[in-house]
Structure formats: C-alpha cells, structure tokens
Amino acid sequence: MPQTINLNAEPPADLDEDGKTLFKKLANFGQTHVLKYWNELSAEKKALLKVDIESVDLEQLNRWFLRTQDSPAVRSHRQLKPVPDELVADSTSLEPTEEMLSWEKRGFELISDNKLAVLLMAGGQGTRLGSSNPKGMFPLELLSGATLFELQAKRILKVQELASAQFDKPACVIVWYIMTSDGTHEGTESFFKENNYFGIKEENIVFFRQNEIPCLLADGKMVLIDKHKISRSPDGNGGLYSSMVTTGVLDDMIKRDIKYIHIYGVDNVLVKVGDPRFLGFCDTKQVEVGAKCVVKKEPTEKVGLICMNDKQYEVMEYSEITPEARESRRPDGALVFNAGNIVNHLYTIDFMKKACQKEDTLKHHVAHKKLPYVNDAGEVVKPSEENGIKLEKFVFDVFRLASSLAVVQVSREAEFSPLKNASAAKKDCKETCCADLYSLHRKYLLAAGAVFEDENGKELDPKDLNASHKCELSPAITYHGEGLEQLVKDNKRMKFPILL
C-alpha cells in the first residue's frame, strides 16, 4: 500500500494508551497519518475515531488496493468472444411467441410456489436530477403521480395476483429485498412506511444497507474528512454480496426457501419486476445466471457488453474493448459484440451463495474523484481537481464465477428507459421516461383493439402519436399488456389523456 509502511515503528511518546495501540495497528499498513490530530481531539471524538479505525479491515483494504495496481490492458479482439447464439434468446416481440408463453407459464408456476425473490439496488440519490432524495422517490410527473418505487411495488403485486390465479393457489409471495445506502436508507424506509408499503405486507419487504469503505489517495492512504473521521463511500452495487452476508439477507433467503433472485436497478421506469418469462426461460435452460440485454446498435454507444473472455462470462466496459472488436460485424451486418448490459439479472440461490462466498476474490474498479480532505492546518478542503480514488465493484463482476449463463434480448421500447439525468440533458430524463411509458401503454391498448381519437372524435393514425398523447395503465390493470381485451371492448374509442 503506501511506501511509508514501517512494521517496527514505535508510537510517538505523547500518544495516550489508546493512541499507541491504534498507531501500532495502523503502522503495519502505512496508515498512521489518520492519528495526526489525535492529541487535539476531545475524549468523545477520540472514541469516535477509535471505532472508525477499528471498523476497517486494514489487511483486506490493503489487498484490495494492491489488486487495483495491476490494471489490465485493453482486451484484444482475440481474447473476447460473444455469448454463443444458443445461449441467447429473443424476447423482443410485443406479441409473445408460443415459446415465450411457455417460459411465462413455468415462471408463474415457480412464483406461485414462492420460489422467486426480487432484489432492488436503490442506493443512489437523485443528485444529478437536482434532488437529494432517493432516486426511487423522484417525481416523474406521470399522469398517476406514481414514483419508481410505486410502479415497481404494483408490478410485484400484479405478478403475485396472476401467478396465484393461473395455478389456483392461495396468495403467493414475492419477497422484495431493497438495498439502500447510508444516504438513502432512512428516506426510503420512511417513504415506504408513509405509503403503507404500497399494499405489500411489511414483512415481505426487507431493507438493508450497502457497505461503505474508506476513500483513498492515489498512494493508498485513507483520507480524513474530519480530524476524527475517515472519508467513506459506498462500495459500488457489487458491494451487494458482502452486504447480504453482514445484514443476514442471504440467510433470510435460505430460510424462506427461495430458489431464484431477480436483481435490478432502481432507475428503469419500464423494468418488469419479477418477470415470469425471464424466470421461466432461465429455469428451462437450467443456468446459474440469466442476463437481460438490449441490442447495441452503434459501435460508439458507450454501454457495457455481455461477452466471454477466456471461457469466463463478463461484462466488459466500453473502454476495455479495442476499436477493432467494437467495429467487428457479423455477416448480416449486426455488431459481433452487441449484447448491451442493462443491469437486469436473475440468479439461482446456489449461485448467489457462491457469489457471496467468492466476491472478495474479485478486483475492484477504480473511480477517480475529488475527495474533500483535512489539510495540515486542520481545515476541510474541497479540491477542484481529482485527488483520490474510490474502490468500487459492479454487481455483474461475479459473472466470471458462473459455470452457466444465458442471455435474453429485450426491446428498449418495452423494457429499458432509465432515469439518469436532469431534464436539460433531453436524454434518460423524466420526460423521456414518461414518453417511453406512454408509448408502450398506447401499444398495449392498440394491440387489444383500441381506437384513439382527437377531441372532435376523429380517429388518429397511430403513426402520428407522440409524447403529448399521454396514456398510462396502472400495473393493477395489466403487467405487460395482458387482459385488456374486455376493457377495450367496453370502451373501444378513447381520447387522450388516458389514465386507467
């Protein structure tokens, strides 16, 4: 780690006993600088810093940092291969094929037996959206006023209802595990409580916090955010696995006899939470890991790609792939590497156990950041340039541990519209999310036989519809377009805005 390591360093004589004990522990890893202000601290703040230091596994942090120093070069074209075609299924059609319906039936059967849990990664705040609240609470300004959290909750309820009805079983349960961060935990829990958990039984929603780890300078030294406090940050969504162990979530899944876990991020307004087709496909294929993807259209699109590297499954970042590989095309003109990752995965419980056991063997990614720090005068400084790093892991880093994996291609129009930016970006913002949801729901109604008309009763050509033709269907009415025929039969001609 830092080059100042001195295993035989003697603590300064002016340190008290606690200070000397901590000094000896820190000296083994070159981190004694965090005691720089020890003698200036009150007894209360000394106690806080002591707890802070003792909560850090210094040997583990040292190991993590050293791994990051061996950065891989850009992967060559020869090392990478796309996921074999036989492990890729097409689920892009809005009108389900017989095969898709067979997957769905199997998925509903598993759901009716309480074998599916869903796991939401909700650690992000809406900072880029201009909000300090958890992103799942951000007001999308849909016709219904629903937030991302509410839409997802209602989709879970609908899937439970459909599974119970199809297999004539008592009300089934999809347990909803929600990973928060220190910045979102209290706000998320309060929001759910205020909204009566959106109709889901409280015991079937499990909140747990993502771990935070120390921020580091480029040489591996921990950063002080205050004289008595180490700077920390969430360890990326790949910290999911260690958090599941420390909070007892993995044990809870095992106790509930869950067989599959659907993992997804909070920001996708179109996410099909607990998707029975995805579940049934993975069960039919008998794979450890399933991953949804969208087809990458252009070589320059900056999206991670699901592929194989030396017989291991991986998600490769845009910057890790050579221009030659990015540009490579198939005989039909499609890109060779075109499985764009949308962070929507399904694991067996056995693979989840494996991931939790072996996650520590995987290398962190390095994010260069502007880290506030305490200077020599004891003042907190906010740097104008990058001065340190945050160690992060991604949830899909564990793919390389999988012995079997299959991919489901889905359409962006039906399943992927993320909320990432403020409105000014005009991309991946609340306006595009609403427009994409309205467009999908119009298609559902059209497929069921609806006719749209203007305020004068003149029929509208579907090709002329746009974001101003607002149409929102509650998940309580339909999960993915099913069951609308009777509703349309009773009210075939519809005027905008439509809220059902």
Side-chain angles (χ1 to χ4, degrees), residues 66-87:
L66 290 176
R67 281 193 198 135
T68 68
Q69 303 308 290
D70 181 25
S71 299
V74 172
R75 309 302 179 100
S76 75
H77 189 187
R78 296 182 184 86
Q79 288 176 295
L80 298 182
K81 294 181 180 179
V83 176
D85 288 344
E86 61 269 21
L87 295 179

Side-chain angles (χ1 to χ4, degrees), residues 144-382:
S144 65
T147 60
L148 290 165
F149 283 147
E150 181 177 351
L151 290 173
Q152 293 165 21
K154 289 184 175 179
R155 287 170 188 159
I156 291 171
L157 289 170
K158 187 61 175 178
V159 170
Q160 291 176 164
E161 174 192 315
L162 292 170
S164 293
Q166 185 166 149
F167 285 90
D168 193 25
K169 291 186 178 181
C172 60
V173 172
I174 297 176
V175 183
W176 196 6
Y177 296 92
I178 301 176
M179 184 178 75
T180 64
S181 63
D182 282 352
T184 65
H185 190 83
E186 290 183 5
T188 300
E189 277 200 313
S190 296
F191 188 68
F192 272 76
K193 189 173 183 179
E194 290 164 7
N195 288 279
N196 197 27
Y197 301 93
F198 303 104
I200 297 176
K201 291 183 178 179
E202 183 179 354
E203 62 265 28
N204 293 326
I205 300 181
V206 180
F207 299 97
F208 66 105
R209 292 181 197 243
Q210 181 178 2
N211 291 330
E212 293 200 331
I213 61 176
C215 300
L216 306 174
L217 296 177
D219 62 1
K221 287 190 175 184
M222 292 188 290
V223 178
L224 287 176
I225 188 62
D226 206 331
K227 292 181 179 181
H228 68 286
K229 188 176 183 180
I230 297 168
S231 176
R232 294 173 184 259
S233 66
D235 51 356
N237 57 24
L240 163 71
Y241 308 103
S242 59
S243 298
M244 286 179 62
V245 173
T246 58
T247 60
V249 163
L250 180 62
D251 288 339
D252 187 70
M253 289 179 174
I254 295 169
K255 182 179 178 181
R256 293 180 190 247
D257 196 26
I258 288 165
K259 184 176 180 181
Y260 287 102
I261 304 98
H262 181 200
I263 305 170
Y264 67 99
V266 70
D267 61 4
N268 181 8
V269 73
L270 299 181
V271 64
K272 292 183 178 179
V273 188
D275 183 359
R277 289 180 194 165
F278 188 30
L279 172 60
F281 165 76
C282 292
D283 186 74
T284 300
K285 291 289 186 181
Q286 288 293 289
V287 291
E288 289 187 315
V289 174
K292 285 191 179 185
C293 77
V294 293
V295 176
K296 180 177 178 177
K297 297 177 181 178
E298 298 296 333
T300 54
E301 183 180 4
K302 293 184 179 181
V303 61
L305 296 170
I306 305 168
C307 57
M308 297 192 72
N309 180 37
D310 193 24
K311 298 183 180 180
Q312 289 183 323
Y313 302 99
E314 288 195 34
V315 174
M316 304 297 296
E317 291 304 300
Y318 175 85
S319 59
E320 293 180 306
I321 300 176
T322 63
E324 179 189 7
R326 285 199 293 265
E327 298 279 350
S328 181
R329 293 188 180 271
R330 304 167 189 241
D332 64 0
L335 293 170
V336 170
F337 297 98
N338 65 1
N341 179 44
I342 59 172
V343 194
N344 191 324
H345 313 312
L346 191 97
Y347 297 171
T348 65
I349 188 65
D350 287 339
F351 181 76
M352 183 62 86
K353 292 176 188 175
K354 184 197 298 186
C356 289
Q357 291 167 355
K358 296 186 178 182
E359 173 268 338
D360 188 52
T361 65
L362 303 176
K363 187 170 71 174
H364 283 78
H365 305 267
V366 173
H368 296 273
K369 299 289 184 178
K370 300 174 185 177
L371 301 177
Y373 65 96
V374 178
N375 65 12
D376 291 339
E379 302 165 332
V380 177
V381 176
K382 293 184 178 180

